[in-house]
Amino acid sequence: MTVPNTPPDPTRADADAVPDITPDPYAPPPAPDAGTPPPAGLAVAQSPGPTLKERLLPELRLGAGTVLACIAVGLVMAGLWVWLAPKVPLVVDGDRILYADPEGEQRAGADAVFALIALGAGLLTALGAFLATRQRGGGIAVALGLMVGGLLGSLGAWRLGRWLGPSNDLIAEARRVGNGGHFDASIDLGALGALLVWPMAAMVVLLALSAAFGKREEDPPPYWAGPYGAAAPQAPAEGAARPEDAVRADGGARADGVAWPNDGARADGVARPNDGARPEDAARPGERGQG
């Protein structure tokens, strides 16, 4: 028998304690043993990544393909400009070459037609590049390819359109038609700023399409959710038994070392620290003095 209300033995309380099986989500991972192979995910993370050349080659191919596609569209643009641009009529008056319509706006009309065709080419190439690269998420190569390709396509359309249009040799044309004859002047750009319409329109359209319909990346979990990929600890359901509340078969102490309030006699007959006389076991007044 032990004296009532004797403090528990710390050595025995530690031996009978129920271990806390709830993992700590913020604890650092244990160091792997020398003979234990690393996990598959860790082995993959530590493997060397692709080199700079392997990462740049796909981007360079994509950018070069975009530039070539824009140059091909520029050839079509040159033909449309020669066909749709208004002509500047000229007339031969003796030894002079005069405008048949001095108040005409054919020169400005040629610039406007070129700018409108370039605007359509920018919309077309930006939409095609976005649809072709939407699955991979676009990239800087697409934007650079559209910018460089649009500028080269505009320059090519301008130079090719001048070559396909009426001749630049006005004197030869005047001699060919003779005095009083009419012929058309060569088409040309009076405002070279129209060469920038294509790349600027392509950039704006590509940005709008990427913002509205581009590929989205998943947001990372919040910092309080624990490490990436680790399941966050869940609170036990209401009324469910917790590990620290479990009663051992031999009636031992809890994991925190505090004795149970309802501990009875142990199976081995040894009294518990809080064993003692209960209030209801006290002798009644009529039973005093008996025995």
Side-chain angles (χ1 to χ4, degrees):
M1 295 294 290
T2 59
V3 180
N5 300 328
T6 303
D9 186 3
T11 58
R12 186 167 186 82
D14 294 342
D16 296 338
V18 179
D20 188 4
I21 61 175
T22 303
D24 185 5
Y26 305 103
D33 299 337
T36 305
L42 183 60
V44 173
Q46 293 180 352
S47 61
T51 61
L52 180 62
K53 182 179 180 181
E54 294 175 350
R55 289 181 296 175
L56 287 181
L57 279 179
E59 300 295 328
L60 292 177
R61 294 193 190 100
L62 181 61
T66 306
V67 171
L68 293 178
C70 291
I71 293 176
V73 175
L75 300 179
V76 180
M77 177 180 170
L80 291 175
W81 185 43
V82 173
W83 177 34
L84 299 176
K87 306 302 187 292
V88 180
L90 300 177
V91 60
V92 179
D93 184 13
D95 57 351
R96 296 180 302 174
I97 300 176
L98 306 175
Y99 286 105
D101 185 10
E103 302 295 334
E105 299 291 340
Q106 290 83 359
R107 289 289 185 184
D111 294 352
V113 170
F114 186 92
L116 290 176
I117 298 175
L119 179 62
L123 296 175
L124 179 64
T125 52
L127 179 60
F130 173 77
L131 294 177
T133 60
R134 183 180 182 183
Q135 297 298 328
R136 70 186 299 272
I140 188 63
V142 181
L144 290 177
L146 284 176
M147 183 177 63
V148 176
L151 185 59
L152 293 179
S154 296
L155 288 172
W158 173 39
R159 296 293 185 180
L160 184 59
R162 293 180 58 185
W163 181 72
L164 293 176
S167 176
N168 293 330
D169 192 351
L170 299 181
I171 296 178
E173 289 293 321
R175 291 175 179 174
R176 182 181 62 84
V177 299
N179 188 21
H182 292 74
F183 64 97
D184 294 331
S186 61
I187 60 175
D188 200 356
L189 281 178
L192 296 181
L195 298 174
L196 302 177
V197 173
W198 183 345
M200 293 176 62
M203 290 294 98
V204 172
V205 174
L206 180 64
L207 178 61
L209 292 176
S210 300
F213 309 103
K215 185 178 180 181
R216 296 290 189 271
E217 296 183 358
E218 296 183 0
D219 295 334
Y223 67 90
W224 61 81
Y228 296 154
Q234 298 181 358
E238 184 177 359
R242 295 178 298 175
E244 60 270 18
D245 295 338
V247 180
R248 294 178 56 88
D250 57 349
R254 294 191 302 181
D256 50 5
V258 180
W260 297 98
N262 58 346
D263 287 343
R266 293 172 56 100
D268 51 3
V270 180
R272 293 181 174 276
N274 59 344
D275 289 345
R278 294 179 298 177
E280 60 269 19
D281 294 338
R284 296 183 175 84
E287 298 175 355
R288 294 179 181 177
Q290 296 180 6

